[in-house]
Amino acid sequence: MCGIVGILGRHQVAPILIEALKRLEYRGYDSAGIATLDDGHLVRRRSVGKLVNLSDLLVRDPVRGESGIGHTRWATHGRPNETNAHPHQAGSVAVVHNGIIENFRELRAELEATGTGFETETDTEIIAQLCNRELKAGRSPVEAARATLARLRGAFALCFLFDGERDLLIAARRGSPLAIGYGEGEMYVGSDALALGPMTHRICYLEEGDHAILTRTSAEIFDADGQRVERPIADIPQENFHAEKGRFRHFMAKEIHEQPSVIAQSLQRYLGSDLRLSEFEERLDFTACERIVLVACGTANYACHVAKYWFETLARMNVEIEIASEFRYREPPVGPETLGIFVSQSGETADTLAALRYVRAHGGRIVSVINVETSTIARESDVALPILAGPEIGVASTKAFTCQLLVLAMLAITAGRQRGKLDAAECTRLAEALSGVPGLIAQALALEEDVAETAKSVARARDVLFLGRGPMFPLALEGALKLKEISYIHAEGYASGELKHGPIALVDQEVPVVVLAPYGPLFEKSLSNMEEVIARSGEIVLLSDANGLAMSGGKAAHTLELPSVEALTGPIVYAIPLQLLAYHCAIQKGTDVDQPRNLAKSVTVE
Ligand code: HGA
């Protein structure tokens, strides 16, 4: 959340800052702004709303300069208006910030007591004001920035630009990610490598507590103790930078349709031609743990709910699922017998990272399932398993969810094998089932026209219920979340059997009920729940296979026929029509699919 960028360049920097911010806009779009050194002097342009408003402003009111900083905001403190937009400036320093300064109230009171006036409602302004006070006291920019950093509590990534200092940027990281990019006689700072992709592939990540003093030709990095350190510079592969919509109207549509290929890519990496999961077997040991704790937020948390079914049935293991923001403060008992599995698309989710550190501090082992291989969560894990989904730009997670499910399924199979609950033949059968998933997803994608038709009716509703049993219950939760996120229709997911314990009171002809019920041992029970809804005039949207639809007796108002699946593949395949349903409802309602209101991706704040 919040994207920051800094450039010490050799060309006019404003358009390059805007290009970089475009690639960071998924992190926030409440406002955007840049500051540059025009003839050596700080100038700012800021605009409320999306980045396009800032680009339009720059056409009307351009700025010059070859050094600059930029920001795209997801507001935490202070309304999304122009005054609160970053960069914040006080005297001869401007700053962009991702994160929260937790002690800003006390610092603000301290400065106000000595006559400093504040312009904004943000926590960020305190950074600029503190730094300016140090500059006015005669400290150099580097000394002033260091003295400022020493006063701040909370999680943040920062970039400072100083009036009159054409060859200096100072960047700092405590809690929020920050990358340094090395160019030819140019130097860059960005919230992620993606932002810097068009400028350079040579990237180094600041570690926790680091700050960096940058000129066009040098980057001096200091650790939390102020010691000069070297951080490795990696050459990030070209494909990690591709973030174009191609022939699609939205990133979300592109990412939904990419699923057969990214799942195939992940299978190719992890599943050998002998159908063995050798890399998992070598790097993991499920015999050494008594208990698994699966920790994540949002959609990734629902992937964990599905995985619980798999670990229980395939490996007969005790599994707890935790919402990271609760787990981190609950002080749950954790010890060396605990294996923590942390799932995060960005690998930077602040709550998940804090939960990981809690488990590490209490002696547990750490496995992470992440999309960004260079992320903090990946770096702080004993074993990091990339899901290989490629950049996910749409704020509503789609391909990362199914790729997380695939990796979690492979983990559950590995656990079953290592713990002697699955024999070799059964493992091969399950691996074969997984290798069929790209084809099954392609079949599910072929339903798009039918889903779009169904969406015309669902999009009229104010409330929608999603029901599922077994591993389809978490899918019901995910289907409801996806619909809420991008179409703003209120939706709830329930275990089908829970309907009669309360939510059925909501059912009438205005409330569509989406039932996820592949044919199987529990199908008849789902049919009964469906009848209960129909008896109360509810409109059923039934997602099932040919057998299930044949048995349903044509009672559903809308049906979507999916390929037949088993318990291991079902949740991955049924995710597709749910994503498409949310997408087409959003299209019907004309909402902003890729950048839904109030949301942003890569949740680096609490
Ligand atoms: N607290 C700052 C930055 C917000 C942020 O990092 N969001 O993810 C603000 O509200 O502007």
Side-chain angles (χ1 to χ4, degrees):
M1 285 181 160
C2 281
I4 70 180
V5 62
I7 299 176
L8 291 171
R10 289 181 295 148
H11 308 281
Q12 288 305 314
V13 79
I16 312 175
L17 286 168
I18 294 294
E19 271 316 301
L21 289 176
K22 259 187 208 155
R23 298 166 76 88
L24 288 174
E25 205 181 7
Y26 70 91
R27 299 173 76 97
Y29 29 85
D30 286 336
S31 64
I34 62 170
T36 65
L37 291 182
D38 190 344
D39 211 12
H41 295 298
L42 273 176
V43 284
R44 287 188 293 170
R45 295 290 182 272
R46 298 175 299 161
S47 193
V48 73
K50 297 208 172 175
L51 190 58
V52 64
N53 298 342
L54 178 65
S55 332
D56 290 349
L57 173 67
L58 284 165
V59 172
R60 295 193 304 275
D61 192 8
V63 289
R64 297 183 53 73
E66 294 170 356
S67 324
I69 54 178
H71 189 267
T72 175
R73 179 169 189 239
W74 185 83
T76 65
H77 292 60
R79 275 159 295 191
N81 57 28
E82 191 180 318
T83 311
N84 289 332
H86 303 219
H88 291 290
Q89 182 176 354
S92 51
V93 59
V95 66
V96 285
H97 166 216
N98 168 207
I100 292 174
I101 306 302
E102 288 174 356
N103 58 339
F104 84 98
R105 287 182 194 81
E106 80 194 49
L107 293 171
R108 186 166 170 148
E110 175 189 315
L111 285 184
E112 279 173 342
T114 54
T116 304
F118 281 77
E119 274 177 11
T120 79
E121 303 160 319
T122 65
D123 52 336
T124 307
E125 190 184 352
I126 189 67
I127 308 168
Q129 295 288 6
L130 274 176
C131 192
N132 186 43
R133 183 174 73 174
E134 300 297 332
L135 291 168
K136 285 206 303 208
R139 294 188 195 253
S140 71
V142 172
E143 286 166 349
R146 283 184 176 149
T148 303
L149 291 170
R151 299 293 315 275
L152 305 178
R153 269 206 324 268
F156 51 79
L158 299 173
C159 191
F160 296 88
L161 181 70
F162 299 88
D163 195 88
E165 299 283 347
R166 293 171 194 251
D167 199 23
L168 177 69
L169 277 181
I170 300 180
R173 178 212 161 127
R174 207 185 294 160
S176 303
L178 206 54
I180 308 286
Y182 293 74
E184 295 299 322
E186 302 197 335
M187 201 65 77
Y188 319 101
V189 178
S191 291
D192 63 26
L194 187 67
L196 308 181
M199 299 174 270
T200 182
H201 294 175
R202 294 183 63 230
I203 300 288
C204 125
Y205 289 92
L206 293 189
E207 300 278 332
E208 206 40 37
D210 284 357
H211 71 274
I213 318 282
L214 308 176
T215 68
R216 283 180 175 71
T217 52
S218 68
E220 287 185 313
I221 302 177
F222 299 84
D223 68 10
D225 299 323
Q227 298 302 312
R228 178 79 206 276
V229 284
E230 296 297 326
R231 302 290 180 215
I233 301 171
D235 212 340
I236 306 285
Q238 179 78 29
E239 61 270 20
N240 292 11
F241 295 119
H242 285 304
E244 307 295 333
K245 279 187 238 171
R247 65 183 170 89
F248 294 95
R249 198 168 143 194
H250 298 102
F251 278 110
M252 183 179 179
K254 173 177 171 252
E255 288 159 8
I256 290 173
H257 283 269
E258 272 174 357
Q259 288 174 105
S261 65
V262 291
I263 291 274
Q265 198 168 300
S266 191
L267 283 164
Q268 198 182 1
R269 155 87 184 260
Y270 293 119
L271 194 62
S273 50
D274 55 358
L275 293 178
R276 288 196 57 176
L277 295 163
S278 308
E279 182 178 339
F280 281 46
E281 283 173 24
E282 281 157 25
R283 296 178 67 198
L284 295 151
D285 181 4
F286 283 96
T287 59
C289 62
E290 295 304 316
R291 150 188 194 236
I292 294 180
V293 183
L294 286 160
V295 189
C297 305
T299 287
N301 189 263
Y302 296 148
C304 294
H305 277 264
V306 176
K308 178 180 166 79
Y309 287 84
W310 292 331
F311 276 107
E312 285 176 352
T313 53
L314 302 178
R316 311 299 304 151
M317 290 187 78
N318 283 324
V319 176
E320 292 152 41
I321 307 154
E322 295 280 358
I323 294 171
S325 56
E326 286 297 313
F327 179 81
R328 62 181 291 190
Y329 292 117
R330 227 179 48 230
E331 301 191 13
V334 166
E337 78 299 342
T338 306
L339 173 68
I341 302 181
F342 298 84
V343 186
S344 162
Q345 188 282 128
S346 65
E348 302 292 349
T349 314
D351 287 316
T352 309
L353 177 59
L356 177 155
R357 289 178 177 156
Y358 176 87
V359 171
R360 152 110 37 243
H362 290 79
R365 277 178 51 76
I366 313 287
V367 171
S368 62
V369 177
I370 37 74
N371 194 25
V372 181
E373 297 185 42
T374 48
S375 61
T376 314
I377 290 181
R379 291 202 303 270
E380 295 194 17
S381 303
D382 296 311
V383 178
L385 300 168
I387 59 171
L388 307 173
E392 189 181 67
I393 304 297
V395 164
S397 182
T398 52
K399 62 177 180 169
F401 177 64
T402 48
C403 287
Q404 285 161 353
L405 286 175
L406 180 73
V407 170
L408 290 165
M410 294 192 281
L411 280 173
I413 296 171
T414 307
R417 176 94 180 110
Q418 290 181 342
R419 294 175 74 91
K421 305 295 177 197
L422 296 174
D423 62 22
E426 183 62 1
C427 286
T428 304
R429 199 194 67 72
L430 292 168
E432 260 166 4
L434 287 182
S435 58
V437 166
L440 294 171
I441 292 182
Q443 287 180 51
L445 285 170
L447 294 173
E448 181 154 12
E449 270 184 33
D450 296 345
V451 179
E453 208 40 51
T454 305
K456 287 184 186 156
S457 137
V458 175
R460 286 196 291 267
R462 210 186 63 180
D463 308 285
V464 179
L465 293 177
F466 287 75
L467 302 179
R469 282 180 177 269
M472 287 297 150
F473 162 45
L475 262 287
L477 299 172
E478 169 60 6
L481 177 64
K482 216 78 314 170
L483 192 66
K484 279 186 272 216
E485 283 179 313
I486 59 168
S487 73
Y488 316 145
I489 298 171
H490 170 244
E492 300 292 340
Y494 281 98
S496 305
E498 274 293 289
L499 188 68
K500 55 191 171 294
H501 295 288
I504 200 161
L506 297 173
V507 171
D508 63 16
Q509 63 278 16
E510 307 291 320
V511 180
V513 180
V514 180
V515 180
L516 312 174
Y519 186 72
L522 297 177
F523 184 76
E524 286 183 353
K525 300 199 183 294
S526 297
L527 269 192
S528 303
N529 301 134
M530 217 174 89
E531 293 285 359
E532 289 156 12
V533 171
I534 292 169
R536 285 153 185 92
S537 312
E539 184 180 292
I540 297 283
V541 179
L542 176 60
L543 276 63
S544 187
D545 43 42
N547 278 339
L549 293 183
M551 274 191 73
S552 70
K555 292 209 167 156
H558 308 270
T559 56
L560 292 168
E561 184 181 325
L562 285 136
S564 49
V565 289
E566 49 185 283
L568 190 65
T569 53
I572 310 179
V573 177
Y574 275 60
I576 310 303
L578 296 177
Q579 296 164 354
L580 290 172
L581 183 65
Y583 178 75
H584 285 284
C585 284
I587 297 290
Q588 287 295 321
K589 297 203 74 176
T591 58
D592 191 338
V593 171
D594 282 334
Q595 297 181 336
R597 71 182 179 205
N598 302 342
L599 294 176
K601 221 170 168 67
S602 190
V603 185
T604 54
V605 295
E606 276 196 58

